[in-house]
Amino acid sequence: MTNHDMVTAYSHSAIAFFDFDGTITTKDTLAELLKFKVGRVKYYIGLVFLSPVLVLYKLGLLSNHNAKEIMLGYFLKGEPAAEFNALCREFAETRLPALFRKGALSEIRRHLQNNTQVVIVTASPENWVQPWCQQFNLECIATKLKVRNGRMTGKIAGQNCAGEEKVKLILKRYNLSYYTKIYAYGDTPGDLPMLSLATDSYYKPFKERAY
């Protein structure tokens, strides 16, 4: 933990960890970002091409990490990183708002009003989640994508931020003994390790449609 993180922790008595896709949003934002990038027709043509990969993943014969890299490689490999990041910022500003659950945003606002430290913890790449978090002074732990010579490689830097990796990254950044209240919100079995860290955990808490 850095000195900045320690100072931040001491200024809060509570911290809240939110999963992003499916918890705050109604749809998987990686899929929506790719549709935004290449168009719906090319996206679905790509899914047909990648269907053997998706079948292997559904059968449990291919890990989430490897399946995700294959998909990222198909759609992003060789893309100039600066152009991709600009597109991600545009996506965060123009498309993400339509995907949010009203109840999730209300809960985040409530935490912020109560001086709770709010952290988004997601398997989605930081390229579009971080810009959204910055708008509302939220902290972000997300999957990182590799860049080589200024271009996207389609590879993940380190591990996909899912399951136990969420816990590992949370504990690396935050000393939870500083907090009297720890909240966690998630919507899939992969979020259960993160929820187990909390004094107050919520599974699939937001049911309403996006607005």
Side-chain angles (χ1 to χ4, degrees), residues 42-62 67-68 70-71 74-75:
K42 288 185 178 180
Y43 172 74
Y44 287 113
I45 290 173
L47 289 191
V48 171
F49 181 81
L50 294 169
S51 58
V53 174
L54 301 177
V55 170
L56 289 174
Y57 169 67
K58 290 294 185 181
L59 292 174
L61 300 176
L62 189 66
K68 193 170 186 175
I70 293 171
M71 174 173 277
Y74 178 87
F75 286 105

Side-chain angles (χ1 to χ4, degrees), residues 69-81 84 144-157:
E69 284 196 326
I70 293 171
M71 174 173 277
L72 289 168
Y74 178 87
F75 286 105
L76 300 184
K77 186 175 181 180
E79 179 83 7
F84 177 66
K144 297 179 182 295
L145 302 183
K146 286 184 179 178
V147 176
R148 183 181 296 118
N149 298 325
R151 293 184 178 272
M152 308 303 298
T153 66
K155 299 293 184 181
I156 294 170

Side-chain angles (χ1 to χ4, degrees), residues 135-184:
Q135 294 178 48
F136 301 97
N137 199 30
L138 308 179
E139 296 170 42
C140 180
I141 297 176
T143 297
K144 297 179 182 295
L145 302 183
K146 286 184 179 178
V147 176
R148 183 181 296 118
N149 298 325
R151 293 184 178 272
M152 308 303 298
T153 66
K155 299 293 184 181
I156 294 170
Q159 297 298 313
N160 190 39
C161 182
E164 293 290 347
E165 185 67 12
K166 287 190 175 184
V167 171
K168 179 181 176 182
L169 294 174
I170 287 170
L171 296 180
K172 184 177 180 180
R173 184 178 296 189
Y174 303 99
N175 185 336
L176 298 185
S177 66
Y178 289 144
Y179 303 92
T180 56
K181 279 285 189 179
I182 302 167
Y183 302 90

Side-chain angles (χ1 to χ4, degrees), residues 31-144:
E32 296 305 304
L33 180 281
L34 293 176
K35 292 175 192 175
F36 182 67
K37 179 183 183 297
V38 303
R40 298 179 70 87
V41 172
K42 288 185 178 180
Y43 172 74
Y44 287 113
I45 290 173
L47 289 191
V48 171
F49 181 81
L50 294 169
S51 58
V53 174
L54 301 177
V55 170
L56 289 174
Y57 169 67
K58 290 294 185 181
L59 292 174
L61 300 176
L62 189 66
S63 71
N64 179 278
H65 181 105
N66 290 337
K68 193 170 186 175
E69 284 196 326
I70 293 171
M71 174 173 277
L72 289 168
Y74 178 87
F75 286 105
L76 300 184
K77 186 175 181 180
E79 179 83 7
E83 292 181 14
F84 177 66
N85 286 327
L87 179 134
C88 289
R89 290 191 293 272
E90 181 183 356
F91 175 77
E93 292 173 4
T94 64
R95 296 296 180 91
L96 276 182
L99 303 178
F100 291 134
R101 297 182 186 275
K102 185 177 179 180
L105 295 186
S106 295
E107 186 75 348
I108 289 172
R109 291 190 192 101
R110 183 182 70 83
H111 278 306
L112 293 175
Q113 289 167 359
N114 292 334
N115 198 36
T116 300
Q117 192 171 356
V118 178
V119 187
I120 307 303
V121 187
T122 177
S124 279
E126 63 183 1
N127 306 70
W128 59 89
V129 182
Q130 180 71 37
W132 177 75
C133 288
Q134 288 173 342
Q135 294 178 48
F136 301 97
N137 199 30
L138 308 179
E139 296 170 42
C140 180
I141 297 176
T143 297
K144 297 179 182 295

